[in-house]
mmCIF file of all heavy atoms in Angstrom:
data_model
loop_
_atom_site.group_PDB
_atom_site.id
_atom_site.type_symbol
_atom_site.label_atom_id
_atom_site.label_comp_id
_atom_site.label_asym_id
_atom_site.label_seq_id
_atom_site.Cartn_x
_atom_site.Cartn_y
_atom_site.Cartn_z
ATOM 1 N N GLY U 1 11.542 10.055 -8.820
ATOM 2 C CA GLY U 1 10.402 9.410 -8.078
ATOM 3 C C GLY U 1 9.615 8.457 -8.814
ATOM 4 O O GLY U 1 10.148 7.824 -9.800
ATOM 5 N N ILE U 2 8.294 8.228 -8.470
ATOM 6 C CA ILE U 2 7.461 7.281 -9.074
ATOM 7 C C ILE U 2 6.297 7.951 -9.753
ATOM 8 O O ILE U 2 5.739 8.923 -9.191
ATOM 9 C CB ILE U 2 6.970 6.266 -8.021
ATOM 10 C CG1 ILE U 2 8.067 5.483 -7.399
ATOM 11 C CG2 ILE U 2 5.990 5.305 -8.782
ATOM 12 C CD1 ILE U 2 7.701 4.689 -6.253
ATOM 13 N N THR U 3 5.926 7.656 -10.932
ATOM 14 C CA THR U 3 4.934 8.344 -11.741
ATOM 15 C C THR U 3 3.776 7.316 -11.720
ATOM 16 O O THR U 3 3.834 6.219 -12.085
ATOM 17 C CB THR U 3 5.324 8.769 -13.102
ATOM 18 O OG1 THR U 3 6.340 9.555 -12.984
ATOM 19 C CG2 THR U 3 4.110 9.376 -13.683
ATOM 20 N N ASP U 4 2.489 7.822 -11.527
ATOM 21 C CA ASP U 4 1.175 7.072 -11.526
ATOM 22 C C ASP U 4 0.084 7.996 -11.531
ATOM 23 O O ASP U 4 0.220 9.153 -10.920
ATOM 24 C CB ASP U 4 1.108 5.970 -10.405
ATOM 25 C CG ASP U 4 -0.220 5.361 -10.468
ATOM 26 O OD1 ASP U 4 -0.352 4.598 -11.507
ATOM 27 O OD2 ASP U 4 -0.951 5.482 -9.540
ATOM 28 N N ASP U 5 -1.168 7.590 -11.824
ATOM 29 C CA ASP U 5 -2.219 8.493 -11.814
ATOM 30 C C ASP U 5 -3.397 7.879 -11.055
ATOM 31 O O ASP U 5 -4.527 8.076 -11.545
ATOM 32 C CB ASP U 5 -2.551 9.018 -13.140
ATOM 33 C CG ASP U 5 -3.198 7.921 -14.061
ATOM 34 O OD1 ASP U 5 -3.020 6.714 -13.717
ATOM 35 O OD2 ASP U 5 -3.535 8.207 -15.123
ATOM 36 N N GLY U 6 -3.361 6.954 -10.098
ATOM 37 C CA GLY U 6 -4.342 6.385 -9.304
ATOM 38 C C GLY U 6 -5.152 7.461 -8.544
ATOM 39 O O GLY U 6 -4.714 8.558 -8.362
ATOM 40 N N ALA U 7 -6.222 7.062 -7.966
ATOM 41 C CA ALA U 7 -7.100 7.983 -7.146
ATOM 42 C C ALA U 7 -6.250 8.420 -5.929
ATOM 43 O O ALA U 7 -6.254 9.519 -5.544
ATOM 44 C CB ALA U 7 -8.301 7.298 -6.607
ATOM 45 N N CYS U 8 -5.626 7.467 -5.335
ATOM 46 C CA CYS U 8 -4.617 7.801 -4.233
ATOM 47 C C CYS U 8 -3.539 6.696 -4.185
ATOM 48 O O CYS U 8 -3.621 5.602 -4.713
ATOM 49 C CB CYS U 8 -5.326 7.998 -2.851
ATOM 50 S SG CYS U 8 -6.041 6.515 -2.244
ATOM 51 N N ARG U 9 -2.433 7.081 -3.788
ATOM 52 C CA ARG U 9 -1.175 6.371 -3.814
ATOM 53 C C ARG U 9 -0.347 6.543 -2.605
ATOM 54 O O ARG U 9 -0.185 7.682 -2.126
ATOM 55 C CB ARG U 9 -0.388 6.708 -5.131
ATOM 56 C CG ARG U 9 0.873 5.944 -5.297
ATOM 57 C CD ARG U 9 1.568 6.435 -6.606
ATOM 58 N NE ARG U 9 1.226 7.782 -7.100
ATOM 59 C CZ ARG U 9 2.115 8.724 -7.146
ATOM 60 N NH1 ARG U 9 3.357 8.509 -6.735
ATOM 61 N NH2 ARG U 9 1.788 9.891 -7.519
ATOM 62 N N PHE U 10 0.098 5.441 -2.032
ATOM 63 C CA PHE U 10 0.820 5.403 -0.818
ATOM 64 C C PHE U 10 2.207 4.634 -1.129
ATOM 65 O O PHE U 10 2.144 3.688 -1.805
ATOM 66 C CB PHE U 10 0.186 4.820 0.337
ATOM 67 C CG PHE U 10 -1.210 5.460 0.493
ATOM 68 C CD1 PHE U 10 -2.369 4.773 0.293
ATOM 69 C CD2 PHE U 10 -1.309 6.654 1.163
ATOM 70 C CE1 PHE U 10 -3.575 5.298 0.491
ATOM 71 C CE2 PHE U 10 -2.559 7.298 1.261
ATOM 72 C CZ PHE U 10 -3.740 6.645 1.073
ATOM 73 N N ILE U 11 3.313 5.143 -0.618
ATOM 74 C CA ILE U 11 4.642 4.568 -0.831
ATOM 75 C C ILE U 11 5.288 4.436 0.458
ATOM 76 O O ILE U 11 5.439 5.271 1.288
ATOM 77 C CB ILE U 11 5.455 5.492 -1.821
ATOM 78 C CG1 ILE U 11 4.728 5.773 -3.036
ATOM 79 C CG2 ILE U 11 6.802 4.871 -2.090
ATOM 80 C CD1 ILE U 11 5.428 6.894 -3.939
ATOM 81 N N ASP U 12 5.679 3.175 0.608
ATOM 82 C CA ASP U 12 6.740 2.867 1.733
ATOM 83 C C ASP U 12 8.113 2.801 1.103
ATOM 84 O O ASP U 12 8.367 1.832 0.313
ATOM 85 C CB ASP U 12 6.322 1.514 2.373
ATOM 86 C CG ASP U 12 7.223 1.154 3.580
ATOM 87 O OD1 ASP U 12 8.256 1.742 3.759
ATOM 88 O OD2 ASP U 12 6.839 0.286 4.351
ATOM 89 N N THR U 13 8.883 3.788 1.231
ATOM 90 C CA THR U 13 10.190 3.890 0.599
ATOM 91 C C THR U 13 11.174 3.021 1.351
ATOM 92 O O THR U 13 12.472 3.141 0.907
ATOM 93 C CB THR U 13 10.712 5.318 0.646
ATOM 94 O OG1 THR U 13 10.662 5.903 1.958
ATOM 95 C CG2 THR U 13 9.661 6.224 -0.219
ATOM 96 N N ASN U 14 10.826 2.249 2.303
ATOM 97 C CA ASN U 14 11.826 1.433 3.025
ATOM 98 C C ASN U 14 11.112 0.119 3.461
ATOM 99 O O ASN U 14 11.134 -0.283 4.630
ATOM 100 C CB ASN U 14 12.423 2.100 4.100
ATOM 101 C CG ASN U 14 13.936 1.412 4.637
ATOM 102 O OD1 ASN U 14 14.490 0.835 3.738
ATOM 103 N ND2 ASN U 14 14.217 1.659 5.779
ATOM 104 N N TYR U 15 10.439 -0.574 2.482
ATOM 105 C CA TYR U 15 9.548 -1.639 2.825
ATOM 106 C C TYR U 15 10.362 -2.862 3.322
ATOM 107 O O TYR U 15 11.379 -3.293 2.570
ATOM 108 C CB TYR U 15 8.763 -1.944 1.473
ATOM 109 C CG TYR U 15 7.744 -3.180 1.721
ATOM 110 C CD1 TYR U 15 6.693 -2.932 2.664
ATOM 111 C CD2 TYR U 15 7.853 -4.348 1.102
ATOM 112 C CE1 TYR U 15 5.732 -3.937 2.740
ATOM 113 C CE2 TYR U 15 6.966 -5.307 1.279
ATOM 114 C CZ TYR U 15 5.811 -5.100 2.068
ATOM 115 O OH TYR U 15 4.948 -6.151 2.241
ATOM 116 N N ASN U 16 9.911 -3.452 4.448
ATOM 117 C CA ASN U 16 10.613 -4.624 5.048
ATOM 118 C C ASN U 16 9.978 -5.910 4.799
ATOM 119 O O ASN U 16 10.522 -6.893 5.220
ATOM 120 C CB ASN U 16 10.713 -4.433 6.608
ATOM 121 C CG ASN U 16 9.440 -4.342 7.226
ATOM 122 O OD1 ASN U 16 8.380 -4.793 6.688
ATOM 123 N ND2 ASN U 16 9.374 -4.058 8.573
ATOM 124 N N GLY U 17 8.999 -5.899 4.111
ATOM 125 C CA GLY U 17 8.308 -7.256 3.675
ATOM 126 C C GLY U 17 7.294 -7.615 4.613
ATOM 127 O O GLY U 17 6.515 -8.664 4.415
ATOM 128 N N GLU U 18 7.208 -7.088 5.738
ATOM 129 C CA GLU U 18 6.233 -7.463 6.814
ATOM 130 C C GLU U 18 5.212 -6.371 7.145
ATOM 131 O O GLU U 18 4.020 -6.772 7.134
ATOM 132 C CB GLU U 18 6.904 -7.668 8.168
ATOM 133 C CG GLU U 18 7.865 -8.953 8.032
ATOM 134 C CD GLU U 18 8.601 -9.266 9.327
ATOM 135 O OE1 GLU U 18 8.273 -8.518 10.390
ATOM 136 O OE2 GLU U 18 9.552 -9.990 9.185
ATOM 137 N N SER U 19 5.516 -5.099 7.168
ATOM 138 C CA SER U 19 4.699 -4.083 7.590
ATOM 139 C C SER U 19 4.830 -2.849 6.511
ATOM 140 O O SER U 19 5.931 -2.562 6.052
ATOM 141 C CB SER U 19 4.914 -3.457 8.919
ATOM 142 O OG SER U 19 4.813 -4.430 9.927
ATOM 143 N N PHE U 20 3.604 -2.395 6.087
ATOM 144 C CA PHE U 20 3.609 -1.330 5.120
ATOM 145 C C PHE U 20 3.426 0.008 6.007
ATOM 146 O O PHE U 20 2.449 0.262 6.724
ATOM 147 C CB PHE U 20 2.485 -1.485 4.184
ATOM 148 C CG PHE U 20 2.341 -0.395 3.133
ATOM 149 C CD1 PHE U 20 3.067 -0.571 1.907
ATOM 150 C CD2 PHE U 20 1.651 0.795 3.394
ATOM 151 C CE1 PHE U 20 2.949 0.545 0.916
ATOM 152 C CE2 PHE U 20 1.684 1.848 2.503
ATOM 153 C CZ PHE U 20 2.331 1.527 1.145
ATOM 154 N N PHE U 21 4.426 0.932 5.851
ATOM 155 C CA PHE U 21 4.349 2.258 6.445
ATOM 156 C C PHE U 21 4.312 3.237 5.468
ATOM 157 O O PHE U 21 4.987 3.319 4.419
ATOM 158 C CB PHE U 21 5.575 2.430 7.461
ATOM 159 C CG PHE U 21 5.764 1.577 8.566
ATOM 160 C CD1 PHE U 21 6.626 0.399 8.323
ATOM 161 C CD2 PHE U 21 5.071 1.842 9.618
ATOM 162 C CE1 PHE U 21 6.687 -0.418 9.479
ATOM 163 C CE2 PHE U 21 5.194 0.946 10.745
ATOM 164 C CZ PHE U 21 6.084 -0.039 10.725
ATOM 165 N N VAL U 22 3.241 4.004 5.540
ATOM 166 C CA VAL U 22 3.015 5.235 4.625
ATOM 167 C C VAL U 22 3.986 6.175 4.928
ATOM 168 O O VAL U 22 3.948 6.969 5.977
ATOM 169 C CB VAL U 22 1.588 5.799 4.745
ATOM 170 C CG1 VAL U 22 1.448 7.018 3.783
ATOM 171 C CG2 VAL U 22 0.587 4.754 4.509
ATOM 172 N N ARG U 23 4.941 6.416 3.988
ATOM 173 C CA ARG U 23 6.047 7.508 4.079
ATOM 174 C C ARG U 23 5.719 8.555 3.189
ATOM 175 O O ARG U 23 6.218 9.684 3.229
ATOM 176 C CB ARG U 23 7.378 6.825 3.958
ATOM 177 C CG ARG U 23 7.670 5.734 4.991
ATOM 178 C CD ARG U 23 8.895 4.971 4.668
ATOM 179 N NE ARG U 23 8.991 3.707 5.252
ATOM 180 C CZ ARG U 23 9.502 3.464 6.485
ATOM 181 N NH1 ARG U 23 9.927 4.543 7.180
ATOM 182 N NH2 ARG U 23 9.527 2.237 7.132
ATOM 183 N N HIS U 24 5.003 8.255 2.063
ATOM 184 C CA HIS U 24 4.544 9.165 1.036
ATOM 185 C C HIS U 24 3.134 8.947 0.698
ATOM 186 O O HIS U 24 2.671 7.812 0.631
ATOM 187 C CB HIS U 24 5.351 9.075 -0.272
ATOM 188 C CG HIS U 24 6.773 9.594 -0.271
ATOM 189 N ND1 HIS U 24 7.291 10.429 -1.174
ATOM 190 C CD2 HIS U 24 7.852 9.231 0.473
ATOM 191 C CE1 HIS U 24 8.557 10.666 -0.970
ATOM 192 N NE2 HIS U 24 8.818 9.926 0.108
ATOM 193 N N ALA U 25 2.242 10.043 0.574
ATOM 194 C CA ALA U 25 0.855 9.894 0.314
ATOM 195 C C ALA U 25 0.533 10.920 -0.666
ATOM 196 O O ALA U 25 0.886 12.080 -0.645
ATOM 197 C CB ALA U 25 0.029 10.009 1.524
ATOM 198 N N TYR U 26 -0.223 10.470 -1.722
ATOM 199 C CA TYR U 26 -0.680 11.426 -2.927
ATOM 200 C C TYR U 26 -2.151 11.078 -3.138
ATOM 201 O O TYR U 26 -2.554 9.972 -3.232
ATOM 202 C CB TYR U 26 0.201 11.107 -4.111
ATOM 203 C CG TYR U 26 1.702 11.247 -3.877
ATOM 204 C CD1 TYR U 26 2.406 10.130 -3.564
ATOM 205 C CD2 TYR U 26 2.243 12.456 -3.734
ATOM 206 C CE1 TYR U 26 3.811 10.348 -3.271
ATOM 207 C CE2 TYR U 26 3.610 12.671 -3.473
ATOM 208 C CZ TYR U 26 4.352 11.462 -3.215
ATOM 209 O OH TYR U 26 5.748 11.675 -2.876
ATOM 210 N N PHE U 27 -2.958 12.109 -3.346
ATOM 211 C CA PHE U 27 -4.371 11.990 -3.621
ATOM 212 C C PHE U 27 -4.587 12.710 -4.959
ATOM 213 O O PHE U 27 -4.706 13.937 -4.933
ATOM 214 C CB PHE U 27 -5.000 12.707 -2.488
ATOM 215 C CG PHE U 27 -4.906 12.100 -1.228
ATOM 216 C CD1 PHE U 27 -3.788 12.521 -0.318
ATOM 217 C CD2 PHE U 27 -5.522 11.022 -0.789
ATOM 218 C CE1 PHE U 27 -3.504 11.886 0.929
ATOM 219 C CE2 PHE U 27 -5.278 10.369 0.444
ATOM 220 C CZ PHE U 27 -4.364 10.771 1.295
ATOM 221 N N THR U 28 -4.701 11.979 -5.973
ATOM 222 C CA THR U 28 -4.715 12.589 -7.296
ATOM 223 C C THR U 28 -6.101 12.293 -7.996
ATOM 224 O O THR U 28 -6.191 12.438 -9.177
ATOM 225 C CB THR U 28 -3.532 12.134 -8.254
ATOM 226 O OG1 THR U 28 -3.637 10.579 -8.331
ATOM 227 C CG2 THR U 28 -2.187 12.585 -7.684
ATOM 228 N N GLY U 29 -7.017 11.779 -7.259
ATOM 229 C CA GLY U 29 -8.283 11.354 -7.885
ATOM 230 C C GLY U 29 -9.098 12.525 -8.390
ATOM 231 O O GLY U 29 -8.991 13.670 -8.019
ATOM 232 N N ALA U 30 -10.012 12.257 -9.307
ATOM 233 C CA ALA U 30 -10.837 13.148 -9.859
ATOM 234 C C ALA U 30 -11.984 13.570 -8.942
ATOM 235 O O ALA U 30 -12.107 12.877 -7.898
ATOM 236 C CB ALA U 30 -11.522 12.618 -11.240
ATOM 237 N N ASP U 31 -12.837 14.393 -9.418
ATOM 238 C CA ASP U 31 -14.073 14.756 -8.581
ATOM 239 C C ASP U 31 -13.800 15.393 -7.213
ATOM 240 O O ASP U 31 -14.192 14.863 -6.205
ATOM 241 C CB ASP U 31 -14.956 13.479 -8.474
ATOM 242 C CG ASP U 31 -16.389 13.809 -8.080
ATOM 243 O OD1 ASP U 31 -16.832 15.043 -8.342
ATOM 244 O OD2 ASP U 31 -17.070 12.975 -7.528
ATOM 245 N N ARG U 32 -13.028 16.513 -7.286
ATOM 246 C CA ARG U 32 -12.847 17.392 -6.089
ATOM 247 C C ARG U 32 -12.000 16.693 -4.846
ATOM 248 O O ARG U 32 -12.607 16.599 -3.761
ATOM 249 C CB ARG U 32 -14.243 17.867 -5.552
ATOM 250 C CG ARG U 32 -14.890 18.724 -6.610
ATOM 251 C CD ARG U 32 -16.273 19.189 -5.989
ATOM 252 N NE ARG U 32 -16.790 18.697 -4.861
ATOM 253 C CZ ARG U 32 -17.717 17.638 -4.835
ATOM 254 N NH1 ARG U 32 -18.126 17.148 -5.925
ATOM 255 N NH2 ARG U 32 -18.167 17.222 -3.759
ATOM 256 N N PRO U 33 -10.883 16.098 -5.141
ATOM 257 C CA PRO U 33 -10.256 15.437 -4.133
ATOM 258 C C PRO U 33 -9.948 16.283 -2.891
ATOM 259 O O PRO U 33 -9.873 15.843 -1.801
ATOM 260 C CB PRO U 33 -8.943 14.891 -4.763
ATOM 261 C CG PRO U 33 -8.789 15.722 -5.966
ATOM 262 C CD PRO U 33 -10.209 16.119 -6.431
ATOM 263 N N TYR U 34 -9.530 17.513 -3.231
ATOM 264 C CA TYR U 34 -9.227 18.524 -2.017
ATOM 265 C C TYR U 34 -10.317 18.640 -1.025
ATOM 266 O O TYR U 34 -10.194 18.475 0.064
ATOM 267 C CB TYR U 34 -8.786 19.832 -2.691
ATOM 268 C CG TYR U 34 -8.519 20.970 -1.583
ATOM 269 C CD1 TYR U 34 -7.305 21.083 -0.997
ATOM 270 C CD2 TYR U 34 -9.617 21.687 -1.054
ATOM 271 C CE1 TYR U 34 -7.080 21.897 0.005
ATOM 272 C CE2 TYR U 34 -9.366 22.662 -0.057
ATOM 273 C CZ TYR U 34 -8.086 22.689 0.413
ATOM 274 O OH TYR U 34 -7.828 23.786 1.425
ATOM 275 N N GLU U 35 -11.529 18.947 -1.599
ATOM 276 C CA GLU U 35 -12.707 18.967 -0.784
ATOM 277 C C GLU U 35 -13.029 17.745 -0.087
ATOM 278 O O GLU U 35 -13.394 17.724 1.217
ATOM 279 C CB GLU U 35 -13.989 19.388 -1.556
ATOM 280 C CG GLU U 35 -13.974 20.838 -2.120
ATOM 281 C CD GLU U 35 -13.130 20.922 -3.398
ATOM 282 O OE1 GLU U 35 -12.733 19.921 -4.019
ATOM 283 O OE2 GLU U 35 -12.984 22.121 -3.924
ATOM 284 N N LYS U 36 -12.917 16.663 -0.621
ATOM 285 C CA LYS U 36 -13.285 15.249 -0.131
ATOM 286 C C LYS U 36 -12.128 15.020 1.040
ATOM 287 O O LYS U 36 -12.549 14.618 2.148
ATOM 288 C CB LYS U 36 -13.224 14.187 -1.043
ATOM 289 C CG LYS U 36 -14.407 14.363 -1.902
ATOM 290 C CD LYS U 36 -14.442 13.065 -2.946
ATOM 291 C CE LYS U 36 -15.681 13.177 -3.773
ATOM 292 N NZ LYS U 36 -15.750 12.080 -4.700
ATOM 293 N N LEU U 37 -10.868 15.381 0.758
ATOM 294 C CA LEU U 37 -9.923 15.112 1.886
ATOM 295 C C LEU U 37 -10.099 16.069 2.983
ATOM 296 O O LEU U 37 -9.988 15.616 4.164
ATOM 297 C CB LEU U 37 -8.535 15.235 1.247
ATOM 298 C CG LEU U 37 -7.374 14.905 2.319
ATOM 299 C CD1 LEU U 37 -7.509 13.549 2.790
ATOM 300 C CD2 LEU U 37 -6.022 15.077 1.493
ATOM 301 N N SER U 38 -10.361 17.205 2.834
ATOM 302 C CA SER U 38 -10.728 18.268 3.816
ATOM 303 C C SER U 38 -11.803 17.763 4.653
ATOM 304 O O SER U 38 -11.829 17.898 5.822
ATOM 305 C CB SER U 38 -11.035 19.635 3.218
ATOM 306 O OG SER U 38 -9.992 20.158 2.608
ATOM 307 N N LYS U 39 -12.844 17.362 3.986
ATOM 308 C CA LYS U 39 -14.048 16.888 4.738
ATOM 309 C C LYS U 39 -13.641 15.677 5.605
ATOM 310 O O LYS U 39 -14.062 15.535 6.749
ATOM 311 C CB LYS U 39 -15.205 16.455 3.805
ATOM 312 C CG LYS U 39 -16.532 16.094 4.384
ATOM 313 C CD LYS U 39 -17.585 15.861 3.457
ATOM 314 C CE LYS U 39 -18.921 15.443 4.134
ATOM 315 N NZ LYS U 39 -19.874 15.201 3.053
ATOM 316 N N ALA U 40 -12.971 14.711 5.064
ATOM 317 C CA ALA U 40 -12.534 13.497 5.745
ATOM 318 C C ALA U 40 -11.749 13.804 6.984
ATOM 319 O O ALA U 40 -11.899 13.184 7.993
ATOM 320 C CB ALA U 40 -11.800 12.514 4.843
#
């Protein structure tokens, strides 16, 4: 896979150069990301 530590990261694993489709989503940000995502 891909390693990174941004606040959130989205991956289009089959990018066609025109449209970005979120096929993987990761939320690794600091400051209670679980609570913030649950609230959102």
Side-chain angles (χ1 to χ4, degrees):
I2 298 172
T3 303
D4 175 67
D5 64 351
C8 64
R9 176 173 33 107
F10 305 108
I11 304 172
D12 184 343
T13 58
N14 200 26
Y15 185 63
N16 66 9
E18 295 179 10
S19 300
F20 182 92
F21 293 98
V22 176
R23 299 173 200 269
H24 288 231
Y26 304 98
F27 301 89
T28 56
D31 196 24
R32 303 179 342 264
Y34 176 84
E35 289 85 1
K36 288 182 179 182
L37 183 59
S38 292
K39 185 177 178 180

